Amino acid sequence: MDIKEKIQQLKQEQDAVILAHYYVSDEVQAIADYVGDSFYLSKLAVDLPQKTIVLCGVFFMGESAKLLNPEKRVLLPDTNADCPMAHMTTPESIAALRADYPDAAVVCYINSTAELKTCSDVCVTSANALKIVAALPNKEIIFVPDENLGQYIAAQLPDKRFIYDDGRCPIHARITPAAIDEARAAHPSAPVLAHPECIPAVLQKADYIGSTSGILKYATEHDVQQYIIATECGIGYQLRTQNPDKEFFFVSPTPVCEDMKFITLEKIAHALETGAGEVQLDGAVYQPANAPLAKMLELAR
Ligand code: 13P
Ligand code: SF4
């Protein structure tokens, strides 16, 4: 039996479903039952009938799935796969900002630890942040941890005042305006599709800005043959699979989130076989960390 057959068999035995983010490796996306962006994965996790969820992504994704499904077993094939941005603010820092801006809502990007979610009023993903922040009555918004996503949303909501805490995705922040210029010079007719975690100077040069699913939808629905992609390279698998006749050029150097690539078929099989990597959360965290996630799902509906 090869590793893929073994995973299929273990899935049946364990009543498990495999969810994968667009940034994990091609072979992991290929065996997953569902592949999507952070918003899709969190929405989906609530409705699945299986008792075990194998979350192929980084730690905060497993935590979010567990928070939304406390009664289910959530397995992370590699618990070391972490998002550095998820730690780029602290409860103390949020408390200090709340003291300075008592009327502000704390909006927390889903790329954050469960502990940070407990300090927040509502979570957002890149796919729903605009809709959710626009729906909040507060004029002042403390947006953590991703300042780049926050600035992108702030530019579209000029009536609100945004306050940040200096966090960013190191992978997207590394993409430079010069890299966009270079890609455009090489492929002049290709539109630039960028993720809002990129810095503002990169986003200014983009033809389309959206979450991973937004980028995929744009490229699939438009009648253009070539695209320049300014996000993590894992999305290339779905772009190419769903659009075999189109060409996709990633900015140089190719953005790679090493943590997402920690997930392998062998580790998925091991987690299913042994129960390794089960997400365990402190009982006191569930209610306060679930509340902003549940509010996100409600406001995004
Ligand atoms: P989305 O999949 O929500 O676009 O987010 C990208 C990301 O960096 C996830 O870690
Ligand atoms: Fe975190 Fe960036 Fe990796 Fe996404 S791409 S998981 S935001 S480090």
Side-chain angles (χ1 to χ4, degrees), residues 23 58 83-85 111 169-172 197 257 260:
Y23 292 165
V58 289
C83 169
M85 178 164 59
N111 297 37
C169 162
I171 315 303
H172 286 85
E197 288 176 12
C257 179
M260 286 283 188

Side-chain angles (χ1 to χ4, degrees), residues 34-298:
Y34 301 95
V35 185
D37 71 2
S38 311
F39 181 44
Y40 172 78
L41 295 179
S42 49
K43 256 191 323 189
L44 187 74
V46 184
D47 296 325
L48 294 170
Q50 290 85 356
K51 289 196 190 77
T52 293
I53 296 172
V54 181
L55 207 308
C56 300
V58 289
F59 201 86
F60 79 80
M61 295 178 171
E63 273 189 342
S64 298
K66 182 69 182 172
L67 286 166
L68 289 164
N69 301 275
E71 75 295 347
K72 287 192 185 171
R73 185 168 70 136
V74 177
L75 301 177
L76 274 162
D78 190 329
T79 52
N80 291 317
D82 200 3
C83 169
M85 178 164 59
H87 307 270
M88 285 189 190
T89 188
T90 61
E92 294 74 26
S93 182
I94 295 175
L97 290 171
R98 273 200 197 272
D100 288 345
Y101 303 94
D103 297 328
V106 175
V107 176
C108 191
Y109 194 23
I110 197 166
N111 297 37
S112 53
T113 62
E115 186 190 25
L116 293 177
K117 289 182 175 77
T118 67
C119 312
S120 309
D121 296 311
V122 64
C123 286
V124 295
T125 72
S126 53
N128 62 31
L130 179 61
K131 182 174 182 181
I132 288 177
V133 180
L136 296 175
N138 313 63
K139 285 266 178 257
E140 291 178 329
I141 304 293
I142 297 169
F143 195 100
V144 290
D146 189 0
E147 181 164 354
N148 289 325
L149 174 65
Q151 286 196 22
Y152 168 65
I153 301 300
Q156 296 168 81
L157 298 172
D159 292 345
K160 293 188 191 275
R161 175 173 180 207
F162 280 59
I163 300 109
Y164 307 107
D165 193 27
D166 194 31
R168 72 198 52 76
C169 162
I171 315 303
H172 286 85
R174 232 172 268 150
I175 301 172
T176 61
I180 305 291
D181 294 343
E182 196 185 303
R184 270 206 202 274
H187 311 287
S189 63
V192 174
L193 316 186
H195 196 279
E197 288 176 12
C198 295
I199 63 171
V202 164
L203 296 181
Q204 272 163 23
K205 290 178 179 279
D207 298 292
Y208 170 79
I209 300 165
S211 69
T212 46
S213 57
I215 289 173
L216 185 59
K217 188 166 185 283
Y218 186 101
T220 305
E221 288 179 354
H222 283 75
D223 195 17
V224 176
Q225 283 310 108
Q226 298 188 327
Y227 298 86
I228 294 163
I229 307 296
T231 190
E232 209 274 345
C233 65
I235 189 70
Y237 176 71
Q238 296 294 333
L239 286 168
R240 290 186 296 269
T241 307
Q242 296 186 29
N243 302 280
D245 299 334
K246 296 181 181 175
E247 283 186 287
F248 300 97
F249 306 101
F250 280 83
V251 290
S252 178
T254 307
V256 182
C257 179
E258 300 291 351
D259 285 72
M260 286 283 188
K261 313 304 179 206
F262 286 179
I263 313 301
T264 62
L265 297 183
E266 288 70 22
K267 289 177 190 172
I268 294 169
H270 180 72
L272 281 167
E273 207 160 22
T274 64
E278 182 173 356
V279 179
Q280 310 268 13
L281 290 169
D282 182 342
V285 161
Y286 276 104
Q287 198 283 327
N290 171 275
L293 278 173
K295 188 164 180 187
M296 170 186 86
L297 293 180
E298 181 199 315

